[in-house]
Amino acid sequence: MRHARQSAPFECCGLLIGDESAIVDLYHVQNIASEPRRMYSVDPDAYFHAIREARSRGLQVIGAYHSHPGSLAVPSPTDREHAFSGFLFVIVGLADDPPTVLGWELIAGNFAAVPLVKTA
Ligand SMILES: [Zn+2]
């Protein structure tokens, strides 16, 4: 949420590090999209760096997060276009006050909500 607020009116993005059951950490990544007000793109170098870093901690890159500065935390058509299965997509929607943070996963071509539970 902090990263999303700091980046507005641009979309922020980052990578989620963890294992099969939990998000353990997150890495802020620069949004290198050509139109960062309405889309995000993760710098590939940062992505590979995150993979190596996660592995060294016995973890994996399990997903990515990004923000919607002017809309809700639901996937946009652009998000749908670039999504793939087996990955957690977390979206921060700044249109809500307080902002909402929702998890999504692509299952059989459609986004399904993934419940996020704060444990610590
Ligand atoms: Zn989006």
Side-chain angles (χ1 to χ4, degrees):
M1 255 188 230
R2 195 180 318 122
H3 193 195
R5 284 190 174 118
Q6 286 167 351
S7 303
F10 302 111
E11 293 194 7
C12 74
C13 61
L15 296 165
L16 304 170
I17 312 305
D19 56 28
E20 283 176 15
S21 61
I23 300 167
V24 175
D25 203 356
L26 54 81
Y27 297 149
H28 293 198
V29 174
Q30 193 185 348
N31 181 358
I32 61 164
S34 55
E35 297 176 70
R37 284 173 188 265
R38 49 171 226 92
M39 58 185 4
Y40 77 101
S41 185
V42 171
D43 177 11
D45 287 342
Y47 185 70
F48 289 119
H49 177 79
I51 290 173
R52 283 193 299 271
E53 175 98 0
R55 259 191 213 141
S56 74
R57 299 167 64 185
L59 301 168
Q60 294 174 296
V61 176
I62 58 170
Y65 70 88
H66 72 284
S67 62
H68 286 172
S71 59
L72 303 176
V74 295
S76 68
T78 308
D79 293 332
R80 170 68 193 78
E81 205 176 300
H82 295 99
F84 45 91
S85 60
F87 210 65
L88 174 65
F89 294 90
V90 170
I91 304 177
V92 181
L94 293 181
D96 278 330
D97 189 22
T100 45
V101 180
L102 298 177
W104 302 92
E105 187 180 6
L106 196 66
I107 297 175
N110 290 306
F111 272 113
V114 177
L116 300 176
V117 180
K118 194 171 181 182
T119 57

